[in-house]
Amino acid sequence: MADKGRIKKELTELSRDTKSGVTVEVKSEDMHELEGTISGPEGTPYEGGTYVITISIPRGYPFEPPKMKFLTKIWHPNISSQTGAICLDILKDQWSPALTIKTALLSLQALLCSPEPEDPQDAQVATMYKQDPAKFRQTAKFWTETYAQKSDGESAAISRLVEMGFSRDRAVAALAQAGGDETEAVNKLLSS
Amino acid sequence: MSEEEEDENYVYSDEDELELEEEEEEVYAPPSHGRASEEGASSRGSTESAAMGGKRLQDGTYTLIERSEVEAAMLAKAREVSELLEVSASCAEVLLRYTGWSSERLMEQFLADPEKVSSRCGVDKWTGGCEGSTASSLDSDVALPPAPSGGLTCRICFLEVPASEALTAPCGHSFCGECYEGYLANKIDEGSSCVHATCPEDKCTTLVPPKLWQRALSGIPDKLAKYKTFRIDNFITFSKELRWCPAPNCGKVVRAGACVASVKCAPGGCGFSFCMKCGEEAHQPASCELVQQWAEKCQNESETANWILANTKRCPKCQTRIEKNQGCNHMSCSQCKHEFCWMCMGDWSEHGASTGGYYKCNKFDPLKATDEESDSARAKRELDRYLHYYKRYHGHDQAQKFAVKQLEATEKRMVELQESTHGSWIDVQFLKTANEMVIDCRRALKSTYIFGYYLDPSATKQRELFENLQEHLERFTETLSEMTEQPLETMDRTEVVNITRVTESFLHNLISGAESGLDVVPDAKDPTTKPTVAAS
Ligand SMILES: [Zn+2]
Ligand SMILES: [Zn+2]
Ligand SMILES: [Zn+2]
Ligand SMILES: [Zn+2]
Ligand SMILES: [Zn+2]
Ligand SMILES: [Zn+2]
């Protein structure tokens, strides 16, 4: 019996808040399906990006943690680059009923600031984070630009690849894989 | 239910403990040291033997105990530790859980660094000493601070609540009673881990004390009862001297003193004999490790399949399965008479002088072949050896199952015999004793084949001795088994009693012989599980 009264109170409180950079929108009538957004923290490769997070409120809420997942693709050691699944203790066994949807979203924002590669969700990303920090930043930044920014202007690199005759989807995928490195992306596209 | 009422159930005084000692009647010697039977009760020693709680049972004895007694034992152990560490009994219970109910390890770790252990266990903020717990119950000896007098906004439901409706853990964090109830009820639903529930506040590590559980769940007594059950289960699961009877639907608990290898769930239990150490069916003379290895080996039926794959192939022409039992690679199919090479499955007619001669297939590496051939030969020999032991193990297992079923018939026969001889119930007990002896022997014989399988093959002397003991026990078991199936008219009571006694002494000889040091080699690399290609 998830407490509707409490969810309502949380939502009211959230709608008043304009400073923290998190928003929540109700997606289902019973208020069990929500969608949150967080903005990429300044000084990180995620800066300038807006991340959409699907939130599902379990029946046992607030005694059980809300289920959260990144809808926006993101390059981060603790978030699956494939599924958006999150590895964060407070969304699992460290959840406390005194925490809220807002505090959970703020914790996600904090996670973007300080990844924990020792407890990875995505091994490939975590390996890159540890072994090649420069490439990690470059890739994370490219993913931010490609997936987390309003596409009011196509990235120049994508446009050039499309002009070369590759489909837009393939161009984006190749660039994402290559961390935004255009030459590497072209080589990938040509060799595949 | 009010707190006071609930408390009544936990009162435990020194008087109770004395009473328990008096009530203790059924202490048994395990089969390895004398069979568990009514006579076994006489083996009960001094007062210390039967004392519950922290005190030890006499070495080598065991007893079935009731759930209520388990709770008393848990309480007694907590109280004992509480006095030593000068903490409340509730606190001692938590600390004991931390070391798996080992007082020795707790004393060691707690005395080394009490703060560290207390905070790791979440009891560093708990107040209340051992005095509180001796006088009253285990569940109310931790003081709960009052809620803020002006009331508070509950951090879970965000509602304003007066102080009277709030509950506060020893850390000082308050929440409304309703939220506390929901929180702890949810923990109960998560299962046995609920005993580790901490204060609902974020990052607070303070464990919720039993008193707070009682207050919060007073409206849902069945949940509260579950909490108590989980605590007792934890005690049973982790106490070395306690064990659930593993028989399905039994639920009895056995308490055993030191050196008890196996116990029987009786009297008043289901009669199943099991190992105190590993919880499997009693398995003397084989050790727990060997029994586990053996179980894995038997479960791994692919072993036999591997052998078949290594030693049989299909005819490349008609697909008939062919088993190779000679060293020669020139195969001739019994069905279609096709001739082919066992090594490469090629047509034998192609194996002429140009390819290296009829009996030297050139597609075959001779060096590898020698290895593979010997592997396969070893695999075959090893399999034969395993099957030898397995067949006999299995035979006794089946016979044991039969003897267990026979018990029912035996009860009927006892009634019959009593009626026809106008004797007493005691006079016909020998039938049951004999039947039970057969069961015990079958179980032990089963294990002798596990023991024998792992016995060091080079220890010829020991093997001879062991096999001799085994052979005797087997012979007497068969005799006794046959006797118990005889028609009542021709049954000779004296003879049955005598043979039962002799068989029992052989059983003990074998077990103590095996225990007094016959070397055993562990299951090293098993050659039969290795995939082999070549033929022998
Ligand atoms: Zn509340
Ligand atoms: Zn607290
Ligand atoms: Zn039982
Ligand atoms: Zn065992
Ligand atoms: Zn054939
Ligand atoms: Zn050949």
Side-chain angles (χ1 to χ4, degrees), chain B residues 52-55 57 65 69-78 81 92-93 96-105 230-245 253-258 260 274-279:
Chain B
M52 295 294 297
K55 288 177 194 134
L57 266 182
I65 61 176
E69 294 179 273
V70 177
E71 191 184 337
M74 176 174 96
L75 192 58
K77 189 152 185 175
V81 167
E93 183 195 337
L96 277 163
R97 254 192 320 254
Y98 173 66
T99 55
W101 289 95
S102 156
S103 331
E104 290 80 17
R105 270 191 292 148
F230 282 130
R231 280 160 64 196
I232 297 171
D233 286 359
N234 181 284
F235 176 64
I236 296 169
T237 309
F238 291 100
S239 295
K240 265 214 248 127
E241 67 216 50
L242 296 177
R243 212 173 239 293
W244 299 105
C245 169
V253 176
V254 171
R255 178 163 187 269
V260 173
F274 59 96
C275 171
M276 211 47 203
K277 226 166 124 194
C278 70

Side-chain angles (χ1 to χ4, degrees), chain B residues 154 157 176 179:
Chain B
C154 172
C157 61
C176 81
C179 285

